Amino acid sequence: MKIAAILISLLLLFGCVPAKETITEIPEEIPVFLETEEPSEPKPTEIEYVAPPASTPEMAVINYFDALYDSYIAMLPMDISPAINLDFEIMQNIQNWNSLLAMRRSIISEKGYCFVETERFPFTIDYFPEKELDDQRMDYVRLSDFGEGAAVLHFTVKGQEGKAYPPIFALNSQHTMILTLEDGIYKIAYHYFPGSEGKFQNDLPVTLMEREEMEELLAEEFSPKEEADFPEPEFEKIYDPEKAAEYALSFCEEQNPDFFFVGDWYGNCMNFASQCIWSGFKAENDSPKNFGSMTKNWYMGKSGGSLIWSSVSRFWEWTGQEYCRMQVQEFYDISKAEKGDLVHIGSYVCETEGKYSHALFVADEEKMMLAQNSPACFVYYSDLVNNYAKFIRPISLGA
């Protein structure tokens, strides 16, 4: 009986006592609070002009170049009307040209088409009297057209050696500005320098375009093009692009005294480009003084030379003749451009489209920095706004 009682007690203890009900509560879903990004400010569409009114002509010039450099680096247009007199068409053209340049640089940078400069370099302005002008530019303007109190300034912009600046700076060449005076404030009404005609000084206006149109033009400009392969050399002298580019870097900003200087008024661009090409062909002991390695139709020395040597159009015509002893290849695909290549450009602002009027030389293919004369400075391919271009590669030269 005792054993039975013990068994009953154990059953009651472990089996018959109901287990305590356990309820697992499922918590409500804990809300996750994500940090919301502050709404980003819209990208600016224009950079603000901040210079004070110019009480002297020199102050107006500094304001003008500083403003254009600010716009250049920011890759945004700027209303520079506080510094310029928009009553004159040339200044309207400069305003529009600068807006197009900013747009071109911005799109090229965004798309990664080629190098775009973002660093700003110091510059100085050196003024000189009119008697030191080396051309007849003042024969074609009348000061009376600019009103009472108008001022004329002649100067040269200087910068760091070997650096490219905004194209309108036209380093190392003579500038002329005429400024109007109204209520004690000077504004620029006329700006001339070598090369300004092709940019904004023609009778035709520089017209603005929508960004989408510029994007389409640049997509075509930088698109690969089906072109013939570069041929093997035909003549005994083989072109050395490294030597040619080295010459371009050495003598772009300072004239080589061994060669005749055509002058900025008539344009020294092809004369300088021919010197670069000649350097790529010349043997170690060749000298321009005795026309060592030049053909009889293409030459330049201290005392002068041929139109083929110094004219953009005549040089290209000559290379297409059967009797020409220089072998070249023309192409339009910028991705194929290399140092030592010649670049011929024309301006959409000029009356005759399809005409090439300026020569430049590829001195640095990585940055597509081009050496030029008239003006004697470097410029980036990315800054050739309102221009069309073709490339010419010298290959070989016969005696």
Side-chain angles (χ1 to χ4, degrees):
M1 292 296 292
K2 288 181 178 180
I3 293 173
I6 292 170
L7 289 172
I8 290 170
S9 298
L10 290 171
L11 288 170
L12 289 172
L13 180 63
F14 294 105
C16 299
V17 179
K20 184 180 180 181
E21 185 177 4
T22 301
I23 299 175
T24 303
E25 294 184 0
I26 302 175
E28 294 182 10
E29 185 176 352
I30 300 174
V32 178
F33 295 98
L34 298 176
E35 291 187 7
T36 56
E37 295 183 3
E38 292 290 332
S40 58
E41 295 184 4
K43 291 183 177 180
T45 57
E46 185 174 277
I47 185 171
E48 184 180 357
Y49 181 89
V50 294
S55 57
T56 67
E58 291 80 6
M59 185 178 178
V61 173
I62 286 291
N63 286 351
Y64 173 79
F65 282 114
D66 276 339
L68 291 175
Y69 216 153
D70 288 345
S71 174
Y72 180 83
I73 295 301
M75 301 183 215
L76 289 170
M78 176 189 287
D79 178 9
I80 57 172
S81 58
I84 63 176
N85 190 331
L86 291 176
D87 291 338
F88 295 87
E89 185 177 16
I90 182 175
M91 304 317 294
Q92 297 172 24
N93 283 345
I94 289 175
Q95 174 78 72
N96 290 347
W97 176 88
N98 187 63
S99 296
L100 291 174
L101 175 64
M103 186 189 298
R104 174 181 170 89
R105 285 169 47 79
S106 172
I107 296 171
I108 290 176
S109 178
E110 288 175 10
K111 303 291 184 182
Y113 285 141
C114 70
F115 177 82
V116 175
E117 183 63 82
T118 57
E119 185 176 356
R120 180 174 180 146
F121 305 108
F123 65 92
T124 58
I125 298 175
D126 299 333
Y127 296 93
F128 60 86
E130 184 173 327
K131 64 182 180 181
E132 293 183 16
L133 282 172
D134 56 13
D135 56 45
Q136 298 79 47
R137 66 184 68 186
M138 294 309 294
D139 293 346
Y140 298 89
V141 292
R142 293 186 305 175
L143 196 58
S144 59
D145 292 340
F146 296 89
E148 187 176 353
V152 182
L153 292 177
H154 308 288
F155 57 88
T156 303
V157 184
K158 297 287 187 181
Q160 286 189 2
E161 185 178 348
K163 300 295 185 182
Y165 285 69
I168 203 167
F169 280 49
L171 259 61
N172 309 308
S173 295
Q174 295 178 346
H175 292 250
T176 290
M177 283 186 178
I178 300 178
L179 303 94
T180 55
L181 178 63
E182 186 174 348
D183 298 329
I185 303 301
Y186 284 96
K187 289 189 176 185
I188 298 161
Y190 175 84
H191 183 193
Y192 174 84
F193 57 86
S196 61
E197 301 98 322
K199 288 180 174 59
F200 40 71
Q201 223 176 3
N202 293 278
D203 293 334
L204 298 176
V206 175
T207 55
L208 293 173
M209 65 175 70
E210 297 295 329
R211 189 176 180 88
E212 292 76 14
E213 184 182 355
M214 176 76 82
E215 287 176 343
E216 291 178 6
L217 289 174
L218 290 174
E220 171 59 27
E221 181 178 339
F222 286 92
S223 65
K225 297 171 177 61
E226 294 184 7
E227 296 176 323
D229 294 334
F230 295 104
E232 293 296 320
E234 292 180 1
F235 304 115
E236 60 271 22
K237 291 193 175 183
I238 310 302
Y239 185 65
D240 186 339
E242 294 287 341
K243 285 167 53 178
E246 183 180 342
Y247 183 94
L249 290 168
S250 298
F251 292 103
C252 171
E253 299 171 296
E254 185 174 345
Q255 300 295 328
N256 183 346
D258 288 340
F259 288 97
F260 178 76
F261 177 57
V262 174
D264 287 332
W265 188 244
Y266 297 102
N268 197 59
C269 64
M270 193 62 221
N271 173 25
F272 169 70
S274 284
Q275 293 173 36
C276 297
I277 296 171
W278 176 82
S279 241
F281 281 126
K282 81 181 187 72
E284 185 176 351
N285 296 323
D286 285 342
S287 168
K289 296 176 184 177
N290 58 18
F291 310 140
S293 66
M294 304 179 192
T295 69
K296 63 180 182 180
N297 294 315
W298 177 67
Y299 64 90
M300 177 70 78
K302 277 190 171 181
S303 58
S306 70
L307 283 175
I308 292 171
W309 177 277
S310 57
S311 164
V312 171
S313 59
R314 292 292 186 90
F315 176 86
W316 177 246
E317 289 171 4
W318 174 68
T319 59
Q321 300 298 322
E322 290 185 6
Y323 59 81
C324 175
R325 301 287 289 173
M326 182 187 293
Q327 181 188 12
V328 302
Q329 178 78 358
E330 176 188 27
F331 61 101
Y332 295 84
D333 189 340
I334 186 177
S335 67
K336 297 175 184 174
E338 298 178 355
K339 67 170 63 174
D341 287 340
L342 174 65
V343 186
H344 280 176
I345 66 171
S347 172
Y348 287 119
V349 184
C350 293
E351 295 182 2
T352 307
E353 287 194 18
K355 178 182 178 182
Y356 295 88
S357 56
H358 188 49
L360 309 97
F361 206 78
V362 182
D364 181 343
E365 67 186 78
E366 182 180 349
K367 294 184 175 182
M368 278 305 291
M369 187 172 74
L370 312 177
Q372 65 176 348
N373 265 201
S374 299
C377 58
F378 297 100
V379 64
Y380 294 114
Y381 182 85
S382 54
D383 293 346
L384 298 184
V385 67
N386 261 353
N387 292 122
Y388 46 87
K390 67 179 176 184
F391 301 89
I392 300 166
R393 180 169 300 168
I395 297 173
S396 65
L397 179 69

